[in-house]
Amino acid sequence: MDVKIHLHCFEYGRKQADELKSICESVHYYSRRTSRSNLFNTYPYIVLSRDSEELKKNLLKDDYPILMEGLHSTRLLGDPDFAKRKMFVRTHNVEHDYYDNLAKVEGNIFKRYYFYNEAGKLLKYEPVLKNASGILAISPNDTRYFSSKYNNVNYITAFHCHKEVTGLTGKGDFAFYHGNLAVGENNEAALYLVNKVFNDIPYQLVIAGSKPSDDLKKAVRNYSNISLHGDMTHTQIQEYISEAHCNILPTFQSTGIKLKLLSALFAGRFCIVNKPMVENTGLESLCIMTNSPETMKEKIKVVFEKDFTERERKKREEVLLKNFSNEQNARKLLKILF
């Protein structure tokens, strides 16, 4: 199918991606409405900040199907001017649950209030999805949730940057955790590894991610076997994923599916996780799951005593290339849209 993509996206202060122009028929950028007054509106801030008349005018120039990325991009859903238009929503999480959990791990009182307040608004706003032509959920758990409330829900797992399984056989000499450390749940997971898991075992842990908290920096300084690297490039992160003996990825937020888990399985060796990271993702058989600091230490010790083998890599290929193929998911998406 010959498909032309017209991409509409909101700016985040990042450099515009020139490579998008080579794969899209057109690329449009819009400014976000980031006024603090939006915080006092009944609409969720993440939705209201993406309210754009210019976007609306551009979308009304044709009658193509519209794919909205995330609940935060659905400001026009239900707009009478689009009543006859096919409009689909790609959900990233159960957003009110996600924000509620962000609040629980946030140390800053003002940010915590914002997350709790936004969670309540998102819960009230979510029924706008009944106006969608279809909902594309990112995980089996999310699919079950949205199917219990709305019609025409399909499961299409996350798209990612990997075409093949490239995990190296043999051994590495460190464990690796990565994530955006400015996000509360990632900061919490990193502190958990520092203070409760690698605090009294001899194995090396490398933590990487942007904007690490002062608490995390302070905690890492207490241990010679733990190092912290901030603001690494995507390429550098991928190199660490590949070189590590195990990627260790606990989380305390179970909605959606984590791209870093897919990257660890496509490009890394052993992968140690806890239940919220992997449960009901279809990836359980590829991970070593443990749910307490004590058992996690035991699993780390066992893993560092053995090689990652070709047999392990082949096992991943059987699952990942069948169920998490970008090409297959793209074909499924196009079939739904058209």
Side-chain angles (χ1 to χ4, degrees), residues 10-171:
F10 286 88
E11 294 179 334
Y12 282 83
R14 295 179 297 216
K15 181 181 178 181
Q16 295 184 2
D18 291 337
E19 57 268 28
L20 290 173
K21 297 176 183 178
S22 66
I23 58 176
C24 298
E25 185 74 9
S26 65
V27 182
H28 307 268
Y29 292 90
Y30 306 91
S31 298
R32 289 183 65 197
R33 295 175 53 193
T34 56
S35 170
R36 291 186 179 181
S37 63
N38 289 341
L39 294 169
F40 304 100
N41 198 284
T42 56
Y43 276 95
Y45 179 84
I46 61 171
V47 175
L48 195 61
S49 63
R50 293 171 174 83
D51 187 7
S52 170
E53 283 297 318
E54 183 184 2
L55 170 62
K56 179 176 178 178
K57 289 178 182 178
N58 284 336
L59 291 176
L60 287 172
K61 291 177 181 178
D62 54 60
D63 62 352
Y64 306 145
I66 298 171
L67 176 61
M68 299 174 169
E69 275 291 324
L71 186 63
H72 51 279
S73 298
T74 58
R75 187 72 172 100
L76 296 176
L77 197 59
D79 186 310
D81 289 336
F82 293 88
K84 297 182 180 180
R85 193 75 165 269
K86 286 185 177 181
M87 302 179 80
F88 299 85
V89 180
R90 167 56 150 182
T91 57
H92 297 166
N93 297 286
V94 178
E95 292 291 353
H96 60 270
D97 282 347
Y98 179 70
Y99 273 76
D100 188 61
N101 284 322
L102 287 178
K104 291 175 181 176
V105 299
E106 179 55 58
N108 183 291
I109 188 172
F110 298 105
K111 289 184 179 179
R112 184 163 65 248
Y113 173 78
Y114 164 73
F115 288 136
Y116 273 130
N117 193 43
E118 194 78 347
K121 291 180 181 179
L122 286 163
L123 178 60
K124 293 179 181 178
Y125 176 77
E126 186 195 85
V128 74
L129 292 175
K130 69 180 184 295
N131 298 309
S133 305
I135 298 170
L136 311 175
I138 204 169
S139 72
N141 273 347
D142 288 6
T143 303
R144 281 189 284 273
Y145 168 80
F146 289 114
S147 295
S148 71
K149 303 182 71 174
Y150 310 104
N151 297 321
N152 199 16
V153 178
N154 289 274
Y155 166 50
I156 297 182
T157 193
F159 289 93
H160 49 83
C161 63
H162 303 280
K163 293 182 179 180
E164 57 184 348
V165 177
T166 58
L168 301 173
T169 57
K171 284 187 176 182

Side-chain angles (χ1 to χ4, degrees), residues 76-331:
L76 296 176
L77 197 59
D79 186 310
D81 289 336
F82 293 88
K84 297 182 180 180
R85 193 75 165 269
K86 286 185 177 181
M87 302 179 80
F88 299 85
V89 180
R90 167 56 150 182
T91 57
H92 297 166
N93 297 286
V94 178
E95 292 291 353
H96 60 270
D97 282 347
Y98 179 70
Y99 273 76
D100 188 61
N101 284 322
L102 287 178
K104 291 175 181 176
V105 299
E106 179 55 58
N108 183 291
I109 188 172
F110 298 105
K111 289 184 179 179
R112 184 163 65 248
Y113 173 78
Y114 164 73
F115 288 136
Y116 273 130
N117 193 43
E118 194 78 347
K121 291 180 181 179
L122 286 163
L123 178 60
K124 293 179 181 178
Y125 176 77
E126 186 195 85
V128 74
L129 292 175
K130 69 180 184 295
N131 298 309
S133 305
I135 298 170
L136 311 175
I138 204 169
S139 72
N141 273 347
D142 288 6
T143 303
R144 281 189 284 273
Y145 168 80
F146 289 114
S147 295
S148 71
K149 303 182 71 174
Y150 310 104
N151 297 321
N152 199 16
V153 178
N154 289 274
Y155 166 50
I156 297 182
T157 193
F159 289 93
H160 49 83
C161 63
H162 303 280
K163 293 182 179 180
E164 57 184 348
V165 177
T166 58
L168 301 173
T169 57
K171 284 187 176 182
D173 57 11
F174 64 93
F176 186 52
Y177 174 83
H178 75 282
N180 180 355
L181 298 173
V183 175
E185 64 165 308
N186 294 333
N187 182 65
E188 181 190 23
L191 284 169
Y192 172 85
L193 291 173
V194 172
N195 294 326
K196 297 184 178 182
V197 180
F198 285 84
N199 58 318
D200 60 359
I201 57 177
Y203 305 101
Q204 296 291 317
L205 170 66
V206 176
I207 299 172
S210 59
K211 299 180 180 179
S213 69
D214 290 339
D215 286 344
L216 180 57
K217 293 177 183 177
K218 182 179 178 180
V220 168
R221 284 196 291 267
N222 293 325
Y223 303 100
S224 60
N225 63 318
I226 303 174
S227 60
L228 175 62
H229 303 265
D231 300 318
M232 297 180 70
T233 66
H234 174 76
T235 299
Q236 290 172 322
I237 292 287
Q238 292 301 314
E239 289 175 352
Y240 271 88
I241 289 173
S242 177
E243 293 169 2
H245 189 64
C246 69
N247 284 268
I248 187 161
L249 298 171
T251 186
F252 303 98
Q253 172 77 277
S254 60
T255 64
I257 190 169
K258 306 294 190 292
L259 287 175
K260 59 186 172 185
L261 174 60
L262 287 173
S263 285
L265 292 172
F266 269 96
R269 294 187 176 99
F270 296 103
C271 191
I272 300 176
V273 301
N274 62 351
K275 186 176 179 180
M277 174 60 78
V278 75
E279 186 179 33
N280 295 324
T281 63
L283 298 167
E284 294 89 342
S285 65
L286 306 182
C287 299
I288 301 166
M289 188 166 67
T290 176
N291 290 306
S292 72
E294 293 73 27
T295 57
M296 188 168 283
K297 291 176 183 180
E298 293 172 4
K299 298 297 184 182
I300 292 168
K301 180 179 178 180
V302 170
V303 159
F304 269 93
E305 291 177 351
K306 61 182 181 179
D307 288 0
F308 187 77
T309 65
E310 182 67 17
R311 181 179 179 182
E312 291 277 357
R313 197 178 67 81
K314 289 292 185 182
K315 180 181 177 181
R316 289 191 183 177
E317 286 182 341
E318 292 173 3
V319 175
L320 295 173
L321 300 185
K322 177 182 178 181
N323 301 322
F324 294 85
S325 161
N326 286 331
E327 182 176 347
Q328 292 181 22
N329 282 324
R331 293 182 185 279

